[in-house]
């Protein structure tokens, strides 16, 4: 059959159209948006941000306005709002929609105007974070970003990261950098692990020995625990209350709430080295130099509760947030079982065993916290022997503790070792720096199911969200914290923010790769193991 000439042309045209269409699809840049917004349209047109751009906001959004202006100045080296032109502006606007999620936001834009709207300053802040993720890295003088239409909101309200500053101590400058990393990924909770057997890291005015004695250990384990080797170099450090206030203010500006953790009744050897009178044996002891679980714990005496009340009151006066973490994990019962005082107390209080004594301890502490109108959080061991009436449970030994607590109508934060322990290996141990053990690669974190299927709809409402934990026995430097936390925290951030139906690992990886220039520019020592 012979094809007519004009028919041939037609086929050719269709072929070219097909090629052009595909080239366009292929050429579409991957935007480094993590967590990925719920609804997003990226247009062809561009908006140029330059010194002449006006950024406008009502007085209630003064802090967010300042944040955006100084972000542009610090990262792109120019000052905005230098002219009164009205055809190039960014508007931050609060809507009066009291029903909407306070962290939700919308962005609408065209080449003349970008509008970020939300019902609450935190939503505006997240809109700004999305905008910032669209900024090109390392461009100065003026920048161009695509005109986007975005409608976005988080899936979970608790999106957290933890950092252990007891096993190793990290300077305030790094804590701020860590908070910046959280904010960039729209995480809103920083769990600051401030005390443990190996060091007490926060100034308490009424008990100066906590830091004078409790913040310094005589040595540290070398290599892995199984090697049982130590150095004898004094190791210490603590945060003054003045420094803590500075960090709190810094975090508030980034809509990050800080949850301080003061460990009790176990993981308290540093405190007991300073004040041995609060242990059952009352024998002098030293700040631990080895990792693991110690048998020396707080004694449930009235003197101990008076001491803990004083300490917690200083903590609660300092930290404005609603939640106080009291630890509660890994409490060996030997000391209590061998103590005549504890046996007598158990009789008086009609406590059947040491687990119930632990529960008695935690309930007493919860009363101290409730007096100040705050809410107590504890690791899942606080379920043993009966849960304190209003306690929030952090489920770390799997999700079972969280499931049990949710079924009892208690709020839960999921942090199972299987998916949320960023001190575990993220690649083959042979090619990774020494870590505690475990294997939690990036993809596994990305596949984390925050809310277990076994919970029904009502019970599921008690799952507030999840948190990544960075325990630092094997993490000596800030760079190493970054390596272990990133990019796993980016994966967890997306798990917590984006709808599960929209998640796609390959797509996440592509967006993560397009974020590398930003991470390098910010000198974040992220791991490339999974990239
Ligand atoms: C268990 S998680 C602990 C920590 C350790 C961690 C190491 C938890 C509540 N307790 O004291 O640092 O394992 O992965």
């Amino acid at each position: 059959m012979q094809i007519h000439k004009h028919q041939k042309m037609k086929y050719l045209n269709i072929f070219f159209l097909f090629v052009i269409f595909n080239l366009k699809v292929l050429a579409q840049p991957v935007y480094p948006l993590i967590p990925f917004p719920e609804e997003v349209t990226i247009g062809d047109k561009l908006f140029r941000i330059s010194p002449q751009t006006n950024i406008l906001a009502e007085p209630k959004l003064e802090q967010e306005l300042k944040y955006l202006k100084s972000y542009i100045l610090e990262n792109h080296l120019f000052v905005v709002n230098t002219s009164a032109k009205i055809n190039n502006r960014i508007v931050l606007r609060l809507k009066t929609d009291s029903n909407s999620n306070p962290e939700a936001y919308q962005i609408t834009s065209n080449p003349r105007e970008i509008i970020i709207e939300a019902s609450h300053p935190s939503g505006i802040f997240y809109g700004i974070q999305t905008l910032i993720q669209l900024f090109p890295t390392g461009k100065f003088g003026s920048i161009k970003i695509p005109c986007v239409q975005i409608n976005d909101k988080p899936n979970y309200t608790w999106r957290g990261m933890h950092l252990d500053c007891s096993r190793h101590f990290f300077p305030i400058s790094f804590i701020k950098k860590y908070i910046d990393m959280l904010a960039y990924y729209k995480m809103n909770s920083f769990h600051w692990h401030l005390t443990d057997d190996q060091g007490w890291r926060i100034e308490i005015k009424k008990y100066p020995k906590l830091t004078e004695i409790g913040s310094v250990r005589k040595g540290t384990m070398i290599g892995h625990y199984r090697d049982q080797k130590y150095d004898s170099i004094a190791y210490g450090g603590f945060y003054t209350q003045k420094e803590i206030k500075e960090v709190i203010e810094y975090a508030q500006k980034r809509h990050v709430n800080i949850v301080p953790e003061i460990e009790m009744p176990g993981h308290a050897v540093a405190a007991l080295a300073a004040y041995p009178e609060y242990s059952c044996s009352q024998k002098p002891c030293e700040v631990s130099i080895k990792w693991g679980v110690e048998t020396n714990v707080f004694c449930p005496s009235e003197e101990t509760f008076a001491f803990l009340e004083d300490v917690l009151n200083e903590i609660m006066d300092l930290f404005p947030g609603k939640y106080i973490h009291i630890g509660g994990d890994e409490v060996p019962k030997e000391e209590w079982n061998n103590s005549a005082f504890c046996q007598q107390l158990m009789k008086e209080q009609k406590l059947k065993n040491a687990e119930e004594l632990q529960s008695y301890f935690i309930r007493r502490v919860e009363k101290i916290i409730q007096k100040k109108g705050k809410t107590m959080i504890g690791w899942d061991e606080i379920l043993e022997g009966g849960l304190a009436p209003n306690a929030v449970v952090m489920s770390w030994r799997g999700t079972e503790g969280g499931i049990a607590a949710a079924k009892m109508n208690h709020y839960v934060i999921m942090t199972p070792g299987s998916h949320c322990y960023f001190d575990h290996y993220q690649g083959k141990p042979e090619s990774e720096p020494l870590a505690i053990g475990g294997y939690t690669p990036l993809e596994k974190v990305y596949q984390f199911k925050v809310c277990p299927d076994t919970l029904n709809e009502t019970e599921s409402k008690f799952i507030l969200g999840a948190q990544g934990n960075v325990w630092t026995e094997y993490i000596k430097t800030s760079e190493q914290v970054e390596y272990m936390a990133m990019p796993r925290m980016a994966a967890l951030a997306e798990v917590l923010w984006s709808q599960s139906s929209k998640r796609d690992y390959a797509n996440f990886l592509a967006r993560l790769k397009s974020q590398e220039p930003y991470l390098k520019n910010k000198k974040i020592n992220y791991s490339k193991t999974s990239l």
Side-chain angles (χ1 to χ4, degrees):
M1 197 179 71
Q2 234 195 320
I3 301 178
H4 222 268
K5 198 177 166 195
H6 77 261
Q7 213 171 357
K8 214 167 164 184
M9 280 300 288
K10 197 171 141 197
Y11 283 134
L12 220 57
N13 278 344
I14 291 172
F15 174 75
F16 279 129
L17 270 177
F18 179 77
V19 169
I20 287 167
F21 175 77
N22 275 299
L23 277 180
K24 204 172 163 196
V25 169
L26 286 175
Q28 277 235 324
V30 176
Y31 289 100
L33 295 172
I34 297 175
F36 201 64
E38 186 163 280
E39 290 166 27
V40 46
T41 316
I42 298 180
D44 290 332
K45 302 213 170 90
L46 298 172
F47 181 94
R48 181 162 172 264
I49 306 178
S50 75
Q52 280 83 44
T53 303
N54 272 295
I55 307 187
L56 311 165
E58 56 203 274
K60 275 188 190 156
L61 296 173
E62 198 192 322
Q63 195 179 283
E64 288 66 33
L65 177 73
K66 259 198 196 150
Y67 177 90
L68 180 55
K69 283 186 181 179
S70 46
Y71 185 92
I72 294 172
L73 180 61
E74 277 161 34
N75 292 275
H76 303 283
L77 305 181
F78 66 89
V79 182
V80 288
N81 281 29
T82 57
S83 87
K85 272 194 188 170
I86 51 154
N87 62 352
N88 180 264
R89 57 182 204 168
I90 300 176
V91 184
L92 312 180
R93 187 185 290 158
L94 285 176
K95 308 184 289 188
T96 40
D97 178 1
S98 50
N99 283 334
S100 86
N101 184 331
E103 295 184 305
Y105 68 93
Q106 287 85 45
I107 303 179
T108 47
S109 55
N110 61 51
R112 296 159 60 92
E113 187 175 59
I114 296 177
I115 300 173
I116 303 181
E117 278 183 305
S119 67
H120 190 271
S122 55
I124 298 289
F125 183 76
Y126 293 131
I128 291 173
Q129 291 309 313
T130 299
L131 207 65
I132 281 171
Q133 290 194 339
L134 294 168
F135 290 0
T137 300
K139 289 257 166 30
F140 310 121
S142 82
I143 51 178
K144 284 182 189 155
I145 57 170
C147 292
V148 290
Q149 319 302 322
I150 290 177
N151 192 3
D152 198 15
K153 65 172 189 313
N155 204 9
Y156 286 99
T157 54
W158 192 289
R159 304 180 302 278
M161 283 298 292
H162 147 285
L163 184 63
D164 169 7
C165 294
S166 170
R167 273 59 176 268
H168 283 101
F169 178 75
F170 305 98
I172 290 291
S173 57
F174 177 69
I175 302 299
K176 288 183 179 171
K177 188 179 181 188
Y178 198 66
I179 290 169
D180 276 331
M181 287 159 65
L182 265 75
Y184 186 70
Y185 292 112
K186 300 187 174 72
M187 288 189 139
N188 60 6
S189 174
F190 170 47
H191 173 168
W192 203 353
H193 188 79
L194 288 163
T195 74
D196 215 301
D197 299 320
Q198 296 81 6
W200 183 282
R201 306 271 176 242
I202 179 168
E203 174 193 23
I204 299 294
K205 305 246 191 226
K206 196 160 178 186
Y207 297 94
K209 284 192 284 181
L210 283 172
T211 44
E212 279 164 23
I213 296 173
S215 76
V216 186
R217 62 175 180 253
K218 287 185 175 162
T220 300
M221 280 195 127
I222 306 174
H224 201 274
Y225 183 88
R226 59 182 164 257
D227 305 328
Q228 290 291 312
K229 281 195 188 142
Y230 304 85
D231 68 26
S232 46
I233 305 164
Y235 185 94
F238 68 90
Y239 308 107
T240 63
Q241 293 200 359
K242 190 165 168 274
E243 287 172 317
I244 297 265
K245 279 188 192 142
E246 189 186 313
V247 174
I248 291 168
E249 199 184 309
Y250 190 86
Q252 271 175 338
K253 288 188 178 142
R254 285 149 184 83
H255 295 267
V256 170
N257 178 47
I258 303 183
V259 180
E261 181 184 357
I262 304 296
E263 277 265 23
M264 61 191 78
H267 285 290
V269 173
L272 294 173
Y275 297 97
E277 55 267 44
Y278 303 125
S279 71
C280 287
S281 72
Q282 306 195 343
K283 281 197 201 118
C285 65
E286 290 191 340
V287 180
S288 300
I289 63 166
K290 74 166 194 296
W291 318 132
V293 178
E294 296 287 340
T295 50
N296 199 6
V297 301
F298 280 122
C299 191
S301 65
E302 289 311 311
E303 291 76 12
T304 303
F305 291 124
F307 161 77
L308 290 174
E309 179 154 12
D310 288 339
V311 170
L312 287 171
N313 280 344
E314 280 194 37
I315 296 287
M316 291 188 281
D317 289 344
L318 203 52
F319 291 90
K322 176 176 162 195
Y323 296 104
I324 303 293
H325 201 305
I326 54 81
D329 59 313
E330 301 178 322
V331 190
K333 306 295 185 305
E334 286 100 304
E335 291 256 324
W336 291 354
N337 285 332
N338 294 332
S339 140
F341 167 80
C342 290
Q343 296 311 310
Q344 180 60 30
L345 178 67
M346 283 163 70
K347 249 192 231 149
E348 279 166 26
Q349 296 290 329
K350 300 190 174 54
L351 306 170
K352 287 196 286 297
N353 50 37
E355 279 67 38
E356 289 194 6
L357 183 55
Q358 172 174 309
S359 170
Y360 164 84
F361 192 109
I362 303 291
R363 283 169 202 257
R364 289 286 305 263
V365 172
E366 184 178 57
K367 287 210 181 93
I368 297 170
I369 289 171
Q370 282 186 327
K371 253 197 243 170
K372 290 257 180 184
K374 308 247 182 187
T375 302
M376 180 182 77
I377 305 181
W379 299 108
D380 59 56
E381 283 92 333
I382 65 168
L383 279 152
E384 293 161 4
L387 199 49
N390 295 294
V392 174
V393 172
M394 246 182 207
S395 191
W396 73 281
R397 296 173 305 171
T399 52
E400 290 76 12
I403 294 171
K407 286 188 188 288
M408 290 157 69
N409 292 4
H410 280 254
Y411 285 106
V412 170
I413 298 138
M414 289 296 191
T415 65
S418 56
H419 294 77
C420 297
Y421 270 46
F422 300 163
D423 58 336
H424 289 179
Y425 283 106
Q426 55 194 313
K428 289 198 184 100
E430 312 83 82
S431 38
E432 290 289 323
L434 180 72
I436 192 165
Y439 179 57
T440 310
L442 185 64
E443 188 168 6
K444 188 166 183 194
V445 178
Y446 196 78
Q447 283 157 354
F448 179 44
K449 204 165 186 312
V450 181
C451 189
D453 290 331
T454 42
L455 295 180
N456 67 31
E457 213 187 309
T458 328
E459 292 158 354
S460 301
K461 299 226 162 69
F462 287 97
I463 310 295
L464 295 176
Q467 173 181 289
N469 290 342
V470 184
W471 298 103
T472 58
E473 289 95 331
Y474 298 88
I475 305 178
K476 293 184 201 299
T477 63
S478 308
E479 290 74 24
Q480 188 63 7
V481 172
E482 291 171 13
Y483 180 86
M484 299 306 275
M486 268 302 290
R488 289 185 283 191
M489 74 177 264
L492 184 61
E494 184 148 305
V495 165
L496 288 165
W497 181 280
S498 308
Q499 297 291 328
S500 54
S501 58
K502 298 238 168 110
R503 263 181 254 141
D504 175 342
Y505 185 62
N507 185 277
F508 166 75
L509 269 188
R511 280 179 283 121
L512 189 58
K513 283 208 173 118
S514 73
Q515 222 168 53
E516 288 192 88
Y518 168 86
L519 297 172
K520 284 184 186 140
N521 191 259
K522 288 281 173 200
K523 299 193 169 51
I524 294 171
N525 181 36
Y526 62 99
S527 159
K528 298 178 189 69
T529 304
S530 302
L531 297 186

